[in-house]
Amino acid sequence: MHTFKTLFFLLLTSLLFIMSARSQQPVKSYTAAWKKAEDLVKKNLPKSALEEVKKIYVLAKKEKQEAQLIKALVYMTGLQQETREDNEILSIKEIETEIAASTNPAATAILNSLLADIYWNYYQQHRWELYNRTQTTGFKKTDIATWTTEDFHKKISALYLESVKNEALLKQTRLAPYDAIIVKGNVRHLRPTLFDLLAHRALDYFETDERDIRKPAYAFEIEQASAFDPAADFVNRRFLTRDSLSLQHKALQLYQSLLKFHLQDTKPDALIDADLKRIEFVKNKSVHPEKDQLYFNAINH
């Protein structure tokens, strides 16, 4: 079980990508209100901090400040970890309600990514219980306490993919206007758009070995040498599979989208960063007998 401070820190990392996109309202920061709430967090007074954050949430909803609303949701989830039972399950329901009500495509994308995070955190906390659970009939799909590992992977994958689905909009959403509400430390020139930020967050999940304990006989494996191809060629390769749940396959497809987006960039920083990450991922997962030489050639190129 995560402590309050540990889970709170994990959730705050989600704020690195939070911003409003194409909002019709002037961007507001609520600086004084956030300082009051954060001072209470530092004093380890989560209940008092929660009351202040709830005020920000209500105001942000009234003033249609999507970024501040999402930021408040993240804080509320963390602050309620030790003040209510089944916090993760309740938080999931609350964010699903926000997604259903959202009319801003960029905000919806962010919420889907955040929701995927919460499902993933829940899964990681309960993974050993899940590995011993078999697929049964008659259980409630709405009750995640009855889900199997496969149910979680289907849901988490779907949410991350949903978060990057609206590529055209996300690729046009620049981050500069939203500096005040982006956690400092991210390398801006390597993540220049909302699509970049959400895609890399999704890749953090798709590159894991979380599904490797249970996988079908026809599980997708990276066996093609073409997975190491130069970016301009790699983006056009086809990687076929019957394994619809394969995280590795989804990672390859997302890398193709990400690299294709940056192929014509005047400054190649984002392209090189994503491509190096792709090559490293392929090396780690490839079953090709000459993968070391293919990796060496790819890095040299």
Side-chain angles (χ1 to χ4, degrees), residues 35-268:
K35 185 179 185 307
K36 187 173 182 180
E38 287 165 357
D39 286 344
L40 291 167
V41 171
K42 291 175 183 177
K43 294 176 183 177
N44 202 25
L45 298 171
K47 289 185 178 180
S48 299
L50 178 61
E51 292 306 311
E52 298 303 320
V53 174
K54 283 182 177 179
K55 294 176 185 177
I56 297 173
Y57 171 83
V58 171
L59 184 60
K61 203 167 187 70
K62 179 182 177 182
E63 298 183 341
K64 297 182 179 179
Q65 295 289 314
E66 289 93 351
Q68 297 298 328
L69 185 147
I70 296 170
K71 183 176 179 180
L73 280 173
V74 173
Y75 267 74
M76 288 161 63
T77 297
L79 290 167
Q80 292 176 123
Q81 176 63 17
E82 291 189 354
T83 60
R84 67 176 179 179
E85 294 183 12
D86 298 323
N87 181 56
E88 293 92 344
I89 295 175
L90 293 172
S91 296
I92 285 170
K93 292 179 180 178
E94 290 163 357
I95 294 174
E96 286 175 338
T97 299
E98 293 294 340
I99 290 173
S102 177
T103 58
N104 183 314
T108 303
I110 293 167
L111 286 167
N112 276 312
S113 186
L114 174 60
L115 184 57
D117 269 3
I118 296 177
Y119 270 109
W120 190 11
N121 285 333
Y122 180 92
Y123 168 83
Q124 290 174 311
Q125 290 181 55
H126 299 274
R127 62 155 61 90
W128 297 117
E129 303 167 34
L130 298 169
Y131 287 145
N132 294 322
R133 183 180 297 160
T134 57
Q135 192 76 37
T136 58
T137 58
F139 66 94
K140 297 179 181 179
K141 281 290 185 182
T142 54
D143 181 5
I144 67 173
T146 67
W147 286 12
T148 64
T149 57
E150 185 171 303
D151 293 315
F152 275 97
H153 287 307
K154 282 182 179 178
K155 185 65 174 180
I156 297 168
S157 294
L159 286 168
Y160 277 125
L161 292 175
E162 188 69 21
S163 75
V164 294
K165 184 176 72 172
N166 198 341
E167 286 191 29
L169 171 72
L170 300 178
K171 288 173 179 177
Q172 295 172 16
T173 306
R174 299 287 166 176
L175 309 184
Y178 314 108
D179 284 344
I181 50 174
I182 298 174
V183 171
K184 294 180 179 179
N186 59 314
V187 186
R188 176 60 52 85
H189 64 291
L190 301 183
R191 307 287 186 272
T193 71
L194 182 52
F195 177 74
D196 290 283
L197 289 172
L198 294 179
H200 279 281
R201 284 173 54 79
L203 284 168
D204 287 343
Y205 167 70
F206 291 136
E207 291 184 354
T208 68
D209 296 321
E210 291 288 353
R211 188 183 168 231
D212 283 358
I213 290 181
R214 286 185 179 179
K215 55 185 180 181
Y218 53 84
F220 174 77
E221 292 183 319
I222 302 177
E223 57 187 5
Q224 303 94 325
S226 59
F228 288 95
D229 279 355
D233 298 317
F234 168 76
V235 298
N236 296 314
R237 300 303 184 219
R238 296 186 68 193
F239 301 98
L240 303 177
T241 184
R242 292 168 51 204
D243 186 6
S244 62
L245 285 181
S246 171
L247 303 186
Q248 293 182 23
H249 188 257
K250 290 178 173 61
L252 285 179
Q253 291 182 313
L254 191 48
Y255 271 121
Q256 288 180 311
S257 296
L258 195 56
L259 294 173
K260 189 173 184 179
F261 174 42
H262 289 294
L263 274 177
Q264 305 304 322
D265 286 359
T266 304
K267 295 183 178 180

